[in-house]
């Protein structure tokens, strides 16, 4: 018997892109809004408490995720939608637990495990859900189409894919009854990818997804870190309050000006804008908490790409050496020297040489020019050559952190030199006293 009328649970799993399957639709549990208006700040605190009660994670992540839960109820009112990327180094770090907690409180949760591309965009287009993709490492790797669908879906202007679909005919009409022009005809259809998404996986989330996400890094909890079991999770009151929040505040959120968080790059600012609006409605305390959380967990707080890391390392070399000019070949030697706290991975390739470094930097508008150091003239760089690229591609927070690191190293070197001089003075003093005793 066809089961087209079967009620689906709110944690429906999509595994098949066959549109003629037994499940013709997905029905979500209806949420009756809370009878009384809610205090947004108190509701956010309540959501944050529930998250931390069940999962071991940073305070910054819990703060951002609490606001994100409310965001899932009003995401269509803003230009961008925030994603959540959950990553861990290995199994049993709490990814599925966190995903379950968020799904329990979020709006229209749809959990997808090993979902196909077709099922993904069809589900989003049909249901406008909050999509949860667990174990993403099993099917995202090497799947550029899937990544493209996910990447395109956080800005409403680009949140769609185009696919050819066969023209439908009435169920009681056979193919022979169709007109010749209609037989085999297809049409171009636009499918929406616009919805909040949570991607959980072992290993690092791909940069293109992390760049659009609240990135939550989980580690395996200690035996002393006790958390409540999921059996004790009852989200009914919170969901009712979230529904009431959406009912009362949707127009304010839609009309709110764009909020750009200081210290965030353009992509991170877009991601956090809808969350900043909610936090501002909740009050100054929550706005400040969320801004601090965004700075702490945004991918922009670390130079992820190879070139960005390379720019930061070159900046470190100029800062550490104090040299006004460096030949290209010297730069490569410095980059290979462990003394300078180099973080970029580019030189792990033994084939990388001064020509390859120059080629990479040229893409960022940085070109070597003839330099004179002493009697030697060769092609090289000055700190000014990197000034514009550093401003554009390396967050100020990373530059400030590297400056502090170099200053600490110099202080330690100075202390070590002073200690060595003191030891020499002490030895000279002891030697003089010994000579006096002998006389």
């Amino acid at each position: 018997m066809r089961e087209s009328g079967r009620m689906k649970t709110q944690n429906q799993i999509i595994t098949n892109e066959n549109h003629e399957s037994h499940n013709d639709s997905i029905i979500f549990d209806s949420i009756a809004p809370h009878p009384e208006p809610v205090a947004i700040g108190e509701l956010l605190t309540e959501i944050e408490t529930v998250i931390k009660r069940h999962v071991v994670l940073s305070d910054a992540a819990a703060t951002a995720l609490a606001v994100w839960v409310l965001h899932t109820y009003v995401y269509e009112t803003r230009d961008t939608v925030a994603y959540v990327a959950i990553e861990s180094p290995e199994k049993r770090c709490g990814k599925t637990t966190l995903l379950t907690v968020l799904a329990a409180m979020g709006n229209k949760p749809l959990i997808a495990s090993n979902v196909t591309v077709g099922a993904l965009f069809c589900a989003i287009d049909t249901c406008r859900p909050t999509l949860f993709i667990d174990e993403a490492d099993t099917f995202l790797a090497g799947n550029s189409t899937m990544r493209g669908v996910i990447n395109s879906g956080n800005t409403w202007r680009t949140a769609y894919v185009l696919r050819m679909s066969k023209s439908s005919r009435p169920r009681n009409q056979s193919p022979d009854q169709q007109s010749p022009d209609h037989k085999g005809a297809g049409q171009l259809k636009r499918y929406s990818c616009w919805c909040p998404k949570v991607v959980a996986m072992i290993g690092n989330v791909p940069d293109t997804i992390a760049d659009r996400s609240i990135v939550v890094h989980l580690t395996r909890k200690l035996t002393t870190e006790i958390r409540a079991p999921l059996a004790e999770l009852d989200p009914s009151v919170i969901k009712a309050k979230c529904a009431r929040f959406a009912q009362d505040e949707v127009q304010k959120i839609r009309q709110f000006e764009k909020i750009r968080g200081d210290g965030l790059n353009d992509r991170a600012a877009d991601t956090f804008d809808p969350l900043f609006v909610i936090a501002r409605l909740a009050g100054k305390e929550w706005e400040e908490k969320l801004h601090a959380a965004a700075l702490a967990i945004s991918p922009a707080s670390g130079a992820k790409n190879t070139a960005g890391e390379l720019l930061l390392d070159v900046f470190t070399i100029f800062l550490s050496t104090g040299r006004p000019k460096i030949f290209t070949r010297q730069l490569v030697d410095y980059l290979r020297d462990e003394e300078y706290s180099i973080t970029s991975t580019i030189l792990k390739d033994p084939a990388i040489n001064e020509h390859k470094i120059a080629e990479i930097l040229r893409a960022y508008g940085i070109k070597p020019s003839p330099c004179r150091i002493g009697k030697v003239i060769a092609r090289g760089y000055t700190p000014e050559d990197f000034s514009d690229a550093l401003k554009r591609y390396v967050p100020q927070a990373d530059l400030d952190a590297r400056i502090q690191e170099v200053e600490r190293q110099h202080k330690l070197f100075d202390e070590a030199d002073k200690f060595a001089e003191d030891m020499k003075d002490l030895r000279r003093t002891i030697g003089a006293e010994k000579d006096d005793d002998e006389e």
Side-chain angles (χ1 to χ4, degrees):
M1 173 179 280
R2 190 179 179 90
E3 298 177 325
S4 59
R6 182 194 296 174
M7 176 73 73
K8 312 298 185 300
T9 66
Q10 64 179 14
N11 289 337
Q12 172 72 40
I13 297 179
I14 307 173
T15 56
N16 195 324
E17 64 178 326
N18 181 0
H19 300 169
E20 296 298 326
S21 69
H22 293 298
N23 298 325
D24 288 338
S25 62
I26 299 173
I27 303 174
F28 298 95
D29 294 340
S30 60
I31 305 172
H34 195 269
E36 300 292 334
V38 298
I40 302 173
E42 293 178 4
L43 176 56
L44 289 174
T45 300
E46 190 175 351
I47 297 171
E48 182 183 43
T49 301
V50 170
I51 294 171
K52 296 172 73 172
R53 183 168 178 257
H54 294 278
V55 185
V56 175
L57 74 173
S58 68
D59 291 341
T63 293
L65 291 177
V67 185
W68 179 85
V69 168
L70 273 186
H71 166 61
T72 65
Y73 288 79
V74 292
Y75 76 89
E76 292 182 281
T77 61
R78 305 298 293 177
D79 286 345
T80 56
V81 61
Y83 293 172
V84 174
I86 306 172
E87 59 184 25
S88 70
E90 56 182 79
K91 297 182 294 183
R92 296 194 293 114
C93 291
K95 297 186 305 300
T96 301
T97 300
L98 177 57
L99 185 145
T100 303
V101 171
L102 296 177
M105 294 186 288
N107 186 39
K108 295 202 295 185
L110 196 60
I111 296 181
S113 180
N114 197 25
V115 63
T116 63
V117 175
L120 181 71
F121 62 72
C122 286
I124 296 171
D125 187 75
T126 302
C127 307
R128 298 293 196 274
T130 300
L131 188 67
F132 294 81
I133 305 176
D134 198 6
E135 300 179 358
D137 47 296
T138 63
F139 61 95
L140 266 185
N143 193 335
S144 59
T145 304
M146 178 72 76
R147 287 195 201 180
V149 171
I150 295 175
N151 292 343
S152 68
N154 81 314
T155 303
W156 70 266
R157 292 177 178 85
T158 61
Y160 62 86
V161 295
L162 297 176
R163 293 292 187 272
M164 292 298 298
S165 63
K166 293 182 180 180
S167 299
S168 60
R169 67 176 187 273
R171 291 181 181 273
N172 60 353
Q173 186 182 74
S174 69
D176 294 337
Q177 294 176 306
Q178 293 179 275
S179 66
D181 292 337
H182 187 74
K183 289 183 179 181
Q187 61 181 2
L188 188 65
K189 182 174 180 180
R190 190 166 82 170
Y191 293 87
S192 173
C193 301
W194 173 245
C195 77
K197 301 177 185 68
V198 178
V199 177
M201 62 184 296
I202 295 174
N204 294 327
V205 175
D207 288 347
T208 52
I209 296 176
D211 204 26
R212 295 162 168 80
S213 303
I214 301 165
V215 180
V216 180
H217 183 77
L218 298 181
T219 57
R220 189 170 293 177
K221 68 183 180 68
L222 302 173
T223 55
T224 55
E225 295 174 317
I226 308 299
R227 292 296 184 268
L230 290 175
E232 298 180 8
L233 177 61
D234 182 5
S236 55
V237 175
I238 285 179
K239 289 178 72 73
K241 290 181 178 179
C242 290
R244 180 57 187 258
F245 155 80
Q247 175 181 292
D248 293 345
E249 306 294 340
V250 64
Q251 291 303 324
K252 291 182 184 178
I253 294 173
R254 177 176 286 112
Q255 296 169 5
F256 227 101
E257 72 276 9
K258 183 177 176 63
I259 300 177
R260 178 186 175 84
D262 293 337
L264 300 178
N265 65 25
D266 290 343
R267 182 62 59 77
D270 287 343
T271 297
F272 277 90
D273 162 68
L275 276 63
F276 281 139
V277 171
I278 295 172
R280 181 166 292 184
L281 291 174
K284 184 176 181 180
E285 178 184 354
W286 266 96
E287 186 175 7
E288 292 176 350
K289 277 181 62 175
L290 180 62
H291 183 243
L295 293 177
I297 65 180
S298 169
S301 63
K304 292 289 187 181
N305 63 81
T306 301
E309 292 175 344
L310 179 61
L311 292 172
L312 189 57
D313 284 341
V314 174
F315 170 76
T316 302
I317 290 168
F318 277 113
L319 195 65
S320 299
T321 63
R323 301 188 63 171
K325 303 174 185 177
I326 295 178
F327 294 145
T328 307
R329 61 176 180 270
Q330 292 175 322
L331 180 61
V332 175
D333 291 338
Y334 280 127
L335 288 168
R336 294 189 186 278
D337 192 334
E338 296 180 358
E339 178 182 336
Y340 295 100
S341 301
I342 301 307
T343 60
S344 57
T345 59
I346 188 170
L347 291 175
K348 289 184 178 180
D349 183 352
I352 296 294
N353 54 30
E354 58 186 279
H355 301 292
K356 186 63 177 179
I357 293 292
E359 180 183 338
I360 295 172
L361 294 176
R362 192 175 295 112
Y364 290 82
I366 304 170
K367 299 179 181 179
S369 57
C371 297
R372 177 177 177 177
I373 301 177
K375 295 183 179 181
V376 180
I377 298 176
R379 300 185 73 80
Y381 302 93
T382 67
E384 290 73 20
D385 294 332
F386 293 83
S387 177
D388 185 67
L390 285 168
K391 291 177 183 177
R392 294 179 185 277
Y393 299 104
V394 180
Q396 186 62 44
D398 290 339
L399 294 175
D400 293 341
R402 192 58 67 91
I403 291 171
Q404 293 174 7
E405 183 178 349
V406 172
E407 288 176 345
R408 283 196 299 268
Q409 288 181 342
H410 283 185
K411 183 178 179 181
L412 290 174
F413 289 143
D414 291 342
E415 291 175 353
D417 290 342
K418 185 177 184 303
F419 178 77
E421 289 297 327
D422 290 344
M423 289 299 98
K424 289 180 181 179
D425 291 341
L426 181 59
R427 283 194 294 270
R428 283 193 293 266
T429 301
I430 294 174
E433 291 177 352
K434 184 177 180 180
D435 292 341
D436 291 342
D437 292 342
E438 290 177 352
E439 291 179 1

